[in-house]
Amino acid sequence: MYITMVSAECAPVAKAGGLGDFVHGLARELLARGHEVEVILPKYDVLRYGQIEGLRKEVRDLWVPFHAEWLHCDVECGEVDGIRCWFVDPHSPQSFFARGAIYGEPDDAVRFAFFCRAALEFLVKSGRQPDLIHCHDWQTGLVPVLLWEMYQGLGLTHPRVCYTLHNLGYQGVTDIGVLHQVGLDPRRLMTPDRLSDPANPRAVNLMKGGIVYANFVTTVSPRYAWEIQDSAQGMGLQAVLRSHAGKFSGVLNGIDYATWNPALDRHIAQSYGPESLPGKARNKAELRRRLGLREAAKPLVAVVSRLDGQKGLDLLRHGLSYALAQGCQAVLLGSAQDPAVDAAFRRFKHENEGNPDCHLELAYDEELAHQIYAGADIILIPSVYEPCGLTQMIAMKYGVVPVVRRVGGLADTVFDANFSDKPFGERNGYVFDHLTPEGLESALSRAVGLWFQHPEYFRELRLNGMRVDYSWARPAERYLDIYQRMRA
Ligand code: ADP
Ligand code: GLC
């Protein structure tokens, strides 16, 4: 099959969170199975250029209609980890993708709406006819809309569109002006069964457009698929999802075991696996050295997270403080987009300054993330909602025991050591329900207690997590089934 992904992120060149990992991991697995795969991305100024091989300008004269003008774009091509990527580079006066960050600009909706139109213009002008276009989240919700409303008529007649929802917390609800700008007719599209936002019918909801117009819609875990149709987790899109339930399903994400594997990881001090678990101790010592933590017989409790309301910010802070009070060491690697959240965590860091058992790193740091997974004993994920969550799956591969709230993909992947109905060999972490300090403590205290009192069982729990197969093999098969059904 010939599959074109259109996405705002692809690891490692453009990654803000799990979306980047998803696009990279699924693309690599499909390539390994002999399919033709390419990814279209914006050419951000913040791309990690060192990770792109053979970057070259392939198209110099792509003119993209935008509002009352035509914007001149170059399209560059390069390989990222063996994946052919196309980078759309508009020479717009607004410098759409030269903003020093992937997201967080006041005109995000306009920037990504333009990107959708440019991606389709590129496909049509270069004579491409992929079997499948796979797009992701609100940023590319207009791709299926533009395809069926406009680009089919311009010759892009072959592709079918799969649309994956990674996060209903961001839907791209914006002013209808954006439709004019990409050449769509608001009078036709701003209806309850098309793009008008359920809560504010005068605003356009770009994610809803993707859901309505795509041939098939997926989300990133079975549990989240249910939650967003059934509860407030749908954030206003419950009814839309239910009315399209016939073309909607939840597919649990995978992780790329070439990137996330302690036996192969180039970023860590000592490689290890289930058969060589003692190797993990050297990574813990190395992590302590790097972060200035003292050597002590203490479990290391870690957080690696975007610092966003979704992640349970109060409970993250509470969990780390509680861990310290229970005689653990605490490490956080977190990046906040919201200045108020950043400030709150800087205060928290300040309060813990000088504590030889605590290190808080407020940054985005890919290498340190690998080293934390390799060195930590327990990882804390008290999310308010979690569509899938890759962090717990990565952590388990590195022998870190997850303590998670039972929501979304966390509920589908972490099974409580004491209370799960699974056989012991399939239990791999600690789970709590209530989004309260007491809820979190009920799970974290059991994890810490096991580390101190029954290290042999703690080791078994680590091994259970390391043995689970969360590779892309199974999810890629599910996606190929879905693609084939769409083509049939
Ligand atoms: P989300 O996509 O909601 O952020 P996921 O658990 O699906 O959550 O994926 C998070 C990904 O981003 C993981 O690969 C994790 O290691 C990485 N990550 C999160 N925060 C940071 C950070 N501050 N520095 C480096 N990597 C991070
Ligand atoms: C989103 C979700 C996360 C998911 C990731 C990849 O960022 O917040 O739960 O794992 O997308 O699908």
Side-chain angles (χ1 to χ4, degrees):
M1 270 201 168
Y2 170 18
I3 300 134
T4 301
M5 304 243 184
V6 185
S7 172
E9 295 184 33
C10 178
V13 280
K15 167 171 161 179
L19 170 61
D21 289 318
F22 178 106
V23 170
H24 168 260
L26 178 58
R28 273 176 53 87
E29 181 69 28
L30 294 171
L31 277 170
R33 287 160 185 253
H35 298 280
E36 188 181 346
V37 185
E38 64 194 358
V39 182
I40 307 181
L41 294 155
K43 186 169 177 267
Y44 305 107
D45 55 350
V46 290
L47 286 176
R48 296 199 190 107
Y49 283 93
Q51 311 265 12
I52 312 176
E53 259 176 64
L55 187 65
R56 61 200 177 273
K57 249 176 220 169
E58 283 276 316
V59 179
R60 285 173 191 279
D61 53 356
L62 183 74
W63 289 89
V64 181
F66 195 65
H67 205 29
E69 47 183 346
W70 291 75
L71 292 188
H72 182 205
C73 300
D74 290 331
V75 184
E76 301 193 10
C77 182
E79 299 238 320
V80 174
D81 230 355
I83 307 164
R84 186 178 359 138
C85 292
W86 298 97
F87 300 98
V88 176
D89 186 14
H91 302 298
S92 52
Q94 306 93 326
S95 307
F96 278 146
F97 303 119
R99 306 287 184 83
I102 297 180
Y103 311 120
E105 295 290 292
D107 60 346
D108 274 1
V110 177
R111 298 162 66 221
F112 287 103
F114 171 79
F115 170 60
C116 293
R117 175 112 206 220
L120 289 169
E121 194 68 26
F122 167 64
L123 290 177
V124 94
K125 290 274 170 63
S126 57
R128 295 180 140 65
Q129 292 282 359
D131 297 312
L132 238 302
I133 299 177
H134 192 159
C135 50
H136 306 271
D137 270 356
W138 74 264
Q139 294 88 351
T140 52
L142 280 180
V143 167
V145 182
L146 284 161
L147 181 69
W148 302 118
E149 287 288 328
M150 187 185 293
Y151 279 87
Q152 270 227 319
L154 295 171
L156 210 51
T157 50
H158 183 70
R160 298 284 177 273
V161 183
C162 178
Y163 183 50
T164 297
L165 310 174
H166 298 262
N167 194 338
L168 277 272
Y170 299 89
Q171 298 179 6
V173 177
T174 186
D175 189 86
I176 60 166
V178 80
L179 296 178
H180 286 292
Q181 285 174 305
V182 294
L184 291 167
D185 179 2
R187 275 168 314 183
R188 201 179 130 64
L189 297 182
M190 288 299 289
T191 59
D193 60 335
R194 293 201 174 124
L195 271 67
S196 70
D197 183 57
N200 174 8
R202 292 154 73 95
V204 57
N205 184 314
L206 300 176
M207 180 173 267
K208 183 179 164 195
I211 296 169
V212 171
Y213 276 79
N215 299 94
F216 203 88
V217 181
T218 69
T219 189
V220 289
S221 68
R223 164 90 174 215
Y224 192 58
W226 168 67
E227 287 170 350
I228 60 182
Q229 292 179 79
D230 189 64
S231 72
Q233 300 265 26
M235 315 232 181
L237 290 182
Q238 298 89 310
V240 177
L241 287 164
R242 282 199 302 270
S243 69
H244 290 276
K247 60 167 192 181
F248 176 55
S249 83
V251 180
L252 190 70
N253 286 345
I255 55 176
D256 179 41
Y257 283 150
T259 308
W260 299 111
N261 184 347
L264 307 171
D265 197 325
R266 284 171 294 108
H267 300 298
I268 67 176
Q270 163 94 54
S271 57
Y272 65 97
E275 294 77 32
S276 48
L277 197 51
K280 193 168 163 64
R282 196 174 141 219
N283 291 300
K284 186 169 176 179
E286 214 27 63
L287 180 66
R288 282 173 162 159
R289 198 194 50 75
R290 174 171 174 178
L291 301 181
L293 299 177
R294 66 172 153 181
E295 266 304 324
K298 288 168 176 254
L300 204 150
V301 178
V303 170
V304 178
S305 186
R306 284 186 302 115
L307 299 175
D308 180 289
Q310 166 192 351
K311 302 295 179 183
L313 298 174
D314 291 343
L315 285 192
L316 283 178
R317 283 191 298 262
H318 179 77
L320 293 174
S321 302
Y322 178 77
L324 288 168
Q326 298 299 304
C328 307
Q329 292 188 322
V331 166
L332 171 135
L333 171 62
S335 40
Q337 194 177 292
D338 178 343
V341 173
D342 187 59
F345 274 83
R346 284 194 193 278
R347 277 197 301 279
F348 183 56
K349 182 179 162 83
H350 187 69
E351 286 156 24
N352 286 284
E353 215 96 85
N355 184 340
D357 288 324
C358 180
H359 184 92
L360 309 175
E361 187 80 23
L362 298 177
Y364 183 92
D365 186 333
E366 194 73 29
E367 184 184 55
L368 181 56
H370 283 254
Q371 293 167 353
I372 291 176
Y373 292 121
D377 298 299
I378 294 170
I379 194 151
L380 205 56
I381 315 176
S383 303
V384 178
Y385 73 92
E386 196 61 76
C388 178
L390 302 177
T391 317
Q392 79 281 11
M393 298 201 246
I394 298 170
M396 283 190 254
K397 183 73 179 170
Y398 284 75
V400 185
V401 172
V403 173
V404 308
R405 182 154 175 261
R406 184 158 51 182
V407 279
L410 297 170
D412 285 339
T413 52
V414 181
F415 308 105
D416 193 279
N418 303 120
F419 301 121
S420 165
D421 55 10
K422 301 243 177 214
F424 181 75
E426 292 173 34
R427 301 183 191 182
N428 52 16
Y430 291 89
V431 173
F432 65 98
D433 276 320
H434 292 286
L435 197 61
T436 57
E438 296 73 27
L440 178 139
E441 288 171 20
S442 74
L444 183 54
S445 60
R446 288 184 291 128
V448 173
L450 193 74
W451 191 95
F452 277 115
Q453 284 147 28
H454 299 287
E456 66 288 8
Y457 287 128
F458 194 88
R459 185 172 167 279
E460 287 301 313
L461 215 50
R462 290 191 203 269
L463 288 171
N464 290 350
M466 291 176 92
R467 289 196 200 103
V468 192
D469 178 7
Y470 286 125
S471 73
W472 268 104
R474 234 172 310 171
E477 255 158 47
R478 291 285 316 275
Y479 276 104
L480 282 167
D481 267 0
I482 289 168
Y483 296 167
Q484 261 138 17
R485 258 192 286 157
M486 270 189 277
R487 293 266 21 133

